[in-house]
Amino acid sequence: MLIDSNVNLGPWPFSPIPEYTGPQLAAHLAATGIRRALVSDLRAVFLPDPMPANRRLFAAVKRTPALLPVPILNPALRPWREQLDECIKAAPIRAVKICPNYHNYSLGAAHLDEFVAALSAAKLKLVLNVRLEDERHKYFALRIKGVAVADIGAFLQRFRSQHILLSGIYKPDLEKLAPSHANFSADIAFCEWINTLEALLEKIPANRLFLGTCTPLLSTRGQVDKLVRARIPARAKKLIGSENARRFFGL
Amino acid sequence: MRIIDVHTHPIFFRKGATPKEVAALVAQSRALGIRHMVSLGDVLVHGTHPTAAQVTAMNDMNAKLQAWHPDFFSSFCFLNPVLGERAVMKEVERCVTRYGFKGIKLEISNNARDACMKPVMAAARRFGLVVLQHSWSMVNLKLRRFHSDPIDTAQLARRHPDVKIIMAHLTGIGFRGVLEAKGCDNLFVDTSGGYPEEGLVEYAAEQLGADHVLYGSDLPIRENSVTIGRILGARISAADKRLMLHDNTARLLNLN
């Protein structure tokens, strides 16, 4: 059984990805062995207020227990605290995702102190989205880069008592951060090289890597095969494929 | 399913060049169903504009791979078209007659629309070789002087309808690149390049026909399990998957 920590619902304006309903998404994931998934709604990336997308997400996954909603919040918006409360009341959430590059704020912003403290008080995990796309292939007018590795490093240093999940980080950036920061884990959606996991495990232990497919922006089967067909110990596969997510999200 | 990978760099910046490393790669690839690989060479080890001697050394390295595993590797002759007609013809003739190379590989020494491509295409025609042209959308990368946008590669194919051309990197050329390639019977697209973006394989099959899409990984920059899984997981028929993963390249390069 696999747990996928990086899955999305909703349309993407720049490519014709499949727009699944909750049950359709669960069935699509199950076809590759994914039995549970942490899901966000892509509309929240672009809407000025992410809450309509989060409400849509909660409704979409309500009767699909395999899909666990991860709302996307924008801590730069004044009412983030009320929005967080609404999310907590609306669904049994385990984590909140932030997308600083899409929501136009710096990871160094002062308001993140309160935001991270509020998540911690509510016993929620923080997922930091680093990217959703390869920057080289973005729509020409969308001038958004992935979150800079130096900014992530400074953020991890600032919130040393938090363990943060990095979503969509590139392999070289992950390898750069791993030796100096112990308080993060990362999904492997945007990590790829020949023998990706064998190479990654030389730099970062298996208990800090999560299966993440970035479905439906990336091919689910291709991403799952990166793990399933990797030549790494079975124990490491199990950690990356499910156990780390189970522990981190308290599933 | 039997698989042929038409786009690989088994030796990359001199890594992976020992017999032991190559044997391990062959065994690992076979475990994934890959029965044959086309080696395109260590194409950037000497930068974007290698000298004639460097080109020869790179092709000799490819020949060595073929000699070690003749049933597993075929090679394309790497060229720097900017070196001119004489150098191009001499190297192609050497690689074909001495080593039996099956195609020509063009990287980023120049743009595919440049005049220096004429002798390259003449050589391809003379020796019956397929030409694999590095291609990538230049919309966000402003490097078109020496990188070929899909427009440039499609133009090359239209100028030379009697030469079979592979536009590399489906993911790099994107949806626009597929449309540029459409309607050009001598132009094929390989599936290499970039993360496994959803929908592109299906789109290429729909627009170009599955018989014009070839499986390529771009190993070691990418991982075979991911690039194969992307095709196996695509919403296309099993017959189309077989064409992409094996039959098209087998036919194109006479590998049966």
Side-chain angles (χ1 to χ4, degrees), chain B residues 211-232:
Chain B
D211 60 341
H212 276 63
V213 184
L214 316 175
Y215 167 65
S217 65
D218 220 346
L219 167 143
I221 301 164
R222 318 264 29 130
E223 173 139 25
N224 281 115
S225 62
V226 178
T227 52
I228 293 168
R230 174 199 203 185
I231 293 178
L232 292 175

Side-chain angles (χ1 to χ4, degrees), chain B residues 124-202:
Chain B
R125 197 174 292 114
R126 181 174 155 200
F127 292 100
L129 300 176
V130 174
V131 173
L132 191 147
Q133 171 66 59
H134 165 97
S135 310
W136 205 278
S137 172
M138 288 294 108
V139 168
N140 292 333
L141 305 174
K142 307 297 181 193
L143 304 165
R144 198 166 167 191
R145 193 166 58 80
F146 51 95
H147 271 265
S148 298
D149 185 85
I151 293 175
D152 307 316
T153 306
Q155 188 183 84
L156 179 74
R158 290 192 171 92
R159 278 181 183 162
H160 302 277
D162 53 342
V163 177
K164 290 194 165 61
I165 294 173
I166 301 170
M167 182 189 281
H169 308 135
L170 172 62
T171 313
I173 64 169
F175 293 94
R176 182 177 63 83
V178 170
L179 291 175
E180 289 296 340
K182 191 173 179 176
C184 205
D185 200 46
N186 62 319
L187 183 56
F188 300 77
V189 168
D190 84 37
T191 60
S192 69
Y195 298 92
E197 289 178 16
E198 180 64 42
L200 266 169
V201 170
E202 292 87 342

Side-chain angles (χ1 to χ4, degrees), chain B residues 15-72:
Chain B
K15 283 184 185 165
T18 67
K20 196 178 163 190
E21 287 169 316
V22 175
L25 173 67
V26 171
Q28 186 185 341
S29 304
R30 284 193 165 131
L32 290 169
I34 299 168
R35 79 165 178 98
H36 202 85
M37 252 181 199
V38 175
S39 172
L40 304 177
D42 197 356
V43 290
L44 289 170
V45 68
H46 298 298
T48 57
H49 290 83
T51 64
Q54 289 168 334
V55 167
T56 296
M58 287 152 71
N59 287 325
D60 285 347
M61 198 66 231
N62 258 352
K64 200 182 274 186
L65 291 185
Q66 276 193 184
W68 288 341
H69 299 275
D71 56 336
F72 190 79

Side-chain angles (χ1 to χ4, degrees), chain A:
Chain A
M1 171 186 152
L2 299 172
I3 301 176
D4 188 342
S5 296
N6 183 352
V7 174
N8 305 280
L9 273 170
W12 189 250
F14 312 112
S15 65
I17 57 170
E19 282 188 53
Y20 297 114
T21 63
Q24 285 170 345
L25 177 62
H28 168 75
L29 296 170
T32 58
I34 297 166
R35 303 292 171 194
R36 298 194 90 177
L38 285 297
V39 186
S40 300
D41 192 311
L42 290 168
R43 295 173 186 87
V45 170
F46 294 110
L47 288 174
D49 172 2
M51 284 312 289
N54 290 328
R55 290 181 199 116
R56 202 180 173 115
L57 169 70
F58 298 143
V61 304
K62 196 171 183 178
R63 288 184 183 81
T64 312
L67 306 181
L68 303 163
V70 178
I72 293 174
L73 289 179
N74 180 351
L77 295 178
R78 192 198 48 77
W80 65 260
R81 196 180 287 276
E82 290 89 329
Q83 294 183 337
L84 175 61
D85 288 343
E86 182 186 334
C87 291
I88 291 169
K89 281 179 194 144
I93 61 172
R94 312 299 176 107
V96 166
K97 187 181 283 183
I98 58 172
C99 305
N101 48 352
Y102 285 93
H103 287 162
N104 195 29
Y105 60 87
S106 158
L107 275 183
H111 55 69
L112 283 167
D113 283 337
E114 269 189 74
F115 183 78
V116 171
L119 293 190
S120 183
K123 297 191 171 13
L124 294 174
K125 298 294 184 184
L126 175 62
V127 181
L128 167 58
N129 179 267
V130 179
R131 67 176 45 73
L132 286 159
E133 285 184 290
D134 182 334
E135 282 81 353
R136 296 171 299 173
H137 308 159
K138 272 191 163 66
Y139 177 63
F140 71 94
L142 193 66
R143 307 281 179 203
I144 295 173
K145 292 182 177 165
V147 182
V149 67
D151 293 346
I152 299 171
F155 186 75
L156 292 168
Q157 182 68 20
R158 180 172 154 202
F159 296 106
R160 282 188 300 275
S161 62
Q162 305 294 321
H163 195 91
I164 293 160
L165 178 62
L166 304 180
S167 179
I169 190 167
Y170 285 150
K171 179 174 170 285
D173 290 346
L174 174 52
E175 290 170 344
K176 210 176 287 177
L177 287 171
S180 46
H181 302 280
N183 60 323
F184 78 90
S185 295
D187 76 40
I188 57 171
F190 281 86
C191 295
E192 195 187 333
W193 194 258
I194 185 170
N195 301 323
T196 311
L197 288 170
E198 271 181 272
L200 272 179
L201 290 179
E202 288 174 12
K203 304 283 173 77
I204 182 165
N207 63 7
R208 292 174 63 191
L209 296 173
F210 288 40
L211 172 67
T213 63
C214 202
T215 298
L217 291 167
L218 300 180
S219 157
T220 313
R221 170 73 188 265
Q223 297 283 60
V224 166
D225 282 1
K226 190 193 310 180
L227 172 68
V228 171
R229 309 201 72 164
R231 299 178 315 158
I232 58 172
R235 174 72 189 139
K237 269 190 197 177
K238 195 168 182 192
L239 285 170
I240 299 166
S242 60
E243 291 306 309
N244 295 337
R246 198 189 306 281
R247 194 181 61 247
F248 183 76
F249 293 111
L251 304 177

